[in-house]
Amino acid sequence: MKIAVTGCNGRVGRRVTLWALKKDHSVVGVDHILAEDAEFRDNPAFSFVQADLKDFDEALRAFEGCDGIIQLASVSHPMDWKVNTHNSNVVITWNVLRAAAELGIVRIAQASSVNVLRGVFSTEPHFEYFPIDESHPCLPDEPYGLSKLIAETQADTIVRRYPSMRVASIRLHWSVPTRTRAFRQNTERARGDLWSYVQEDASADAFVRAVSVDTDKWLAHERFFIVAPQIAAREDWLELKQRYFPDVTIRSGWKENGAKGFFDCSKAEQLLGWVHQDYA
């Protein structure tokens, strides 16, 4: 399969590119530049297209001949908390989706975020129940989470117009090399992201699966939380919940096991065959 990976120079983009190559796909990297230290730049299955994806015509040119797109190009933080992150991300994601439709590319995985919830970038985190699944309300109060929520709405829109398209919005948590790297010393400060993480190659695996696995199990646009099953903290999740979120409901039927985390990723397992592994 020939897969375009946008934002291939980014921290997540590099791991996704390497994972796709490892799985014997050919990759077209799309970014402003190709980094000199990119581990894959000399791989014969890798090619590079320089493009500004805020320009629709450049997006069309970048994706010609591709079978699928993994969309990772974005501003990954609220930045000045004003307009740049929101405006850049919203334009890029629409250009990618609309270019895919124009070119007849029907498999797209786009980077969403756990920040579609009101979490770490918000004035105050707010959660309605644990463990969180894809039915949880999305109420961001900051521009980054809003831009990701809009990207998901854009995907809902594009598949109504082009029903043969299959779009996966990957709600990624903090992607890090190891669980040890994700440990927080200050549990109070980390409560907005629920002390969670995803191992970087496990996150890459989710993106590649989303454009390559059999789609018989799902249609149109689906959202997936991609988070490690255990938290990166010395306390277990029940202790942290009781300390910081004592009034948040625990979903009926969920076994109150301290080894579990705050997210339910069973949908990704059922539809993508994805199970988190700490590869490092």
Side-chain angles (χ1 to χ4, degrees):
M1 188 174 184
K2 188 175 184 180
I3 301 172
V5 178
T6 69
C8 66
N9 279 328
R11 182 169 48 83
V12 176
R14 290 190 181 206
R15 303 312 303 179
V16 170
T17 298
L18 288 168
W19 194 263
L21 291 168
K22 178 181 176 181
K23 297 298 179 181
D24 296 324
H25 300 289
S26 61
V27 174
V28 178
V30 183
D31 214 318
H32 288 291
I33 59 169
L34 178 58
E36 291 293 331
D37 63 344
E39 304 94 319
F40 42 76
R41 61 179 299 136
D42 295 323
N43 189 309
F46 175 82
S47 59
F48 179 72
V49 175
Q50 185 175 17
D52 178 359
L53 294 173
K54 293 192 292 294
D55 184 313
F56 179 67
D57 290 333
E58 291 196 30
L60 276 174
R61 175 178 60 87
F63 304 138
E64 287 182 356
C66 292
D67 304 307
I69 302 170
I70 297 176
Q71 154 49 19
L72 304 171
S74 70
V75 181
S76 60
H77 187 278
M79 301 292 285
D80 63 0
W81 304 82
K82 294 178 183 177
V83 299
N84 181 60
T85 293
H86 171 276
N87 293 358
S88 295
N89 289 356
V90 169
V91 170
I92 288 170
T93 52
W94 179 251
N95 283 352
V96 170
L97 289 167
R98 191 60 188 79
E102 186 77 9
L103 295 167
I105 300 170
V106 299
R107 299 298 300 271
I108 300 96
Q110 62 176 8
S112 186
S113 170
V114 295
N115 290 291
V116 294
L117 308 171
R118 197 181 306 172
V120 69
F121 295 139
S122 300
T123 53
E124 181 68 20
H126 173 79
F127 308 107
E128 296 195 1
Y129 60 79
F130 297 132
I132 293 166
D133 62 6
E134 289 79 7
S135 296
H136 192 286
C138 295
L139 302 167
D141 66 354
E142 43 78 23
Y144 175 72
L146 175 60
S147 74
K148 294 300 185 180
L149 189 57
I150 290 172
E152 294 185 4
T153 303
Q154 290 172 334
D156 288 333
T157 300
I158 205 77
V159 299
R160 291 188 199 108
R161 186 79 171 187
Y162 298 92
S164 64
M165 293 178 71
R166 303 290 178 265
V167 183
S169 288
I170 302 297
R171 291 178 173 178
L172 200 65
H173 211 297
W174 183 25
S175 180
V176 292
T178 64
R179 182 168 179 258
T180 300
R181 170 69 178 80
F183 263 77
R184 281 71 152 184
Q185 298 302 316
N186 187 326
T187 55
E188 165 72 24
R189 184 178 300 173
R191 66 195 178 97
D193 67 6
L194 297 172
W195 310 276
S196 299
Y197 76 103
V198 59
Q199 198 277 332
E200 61 187 7
D201 289 324
S203 68
D205 182 44
F207 280 105
V208 173
R209 284 176 178 272
V211 296
S212 62
V213 298
D214 190 347
T215 57
D216 286 348
K217 293 183 178 179
W218 61 284
L219 303 172
H221 172 222
E222 294 285 357
R223 298 151 172 88
F224 300 97
F225 277 111
I226 299 297
V227 187
Q230 291 186 316
I231 60 174
R234 305 203 182 282
E235 300 95 330
D236 70 35
W237 82 290
L238 289 171
E239 292 172 325
L240 290 168
K241 178 199 176 299
Q242 192 58 36
R243 188 186 313 167
Y244 295 106
F245 302 105
D247 297 326
V248 176
T249 301
I250 294 179
R251 280 165 46 205
S252 176
W254 187 260
K255 184 178 179 181
E256 295 189 21
N257 182 333
K260 292 182 179 290
F262 287 88
F263 290 87
D264 176 0
C265 297
S266 58
K267 182 179 178 181
E269 181 175 0
Q270 292 164 7
L271 300 188
L272 301 180
W274 181 83
V275 178
H276 187 270
Q277 295 187 48
D278 282 302
Y279 287 96

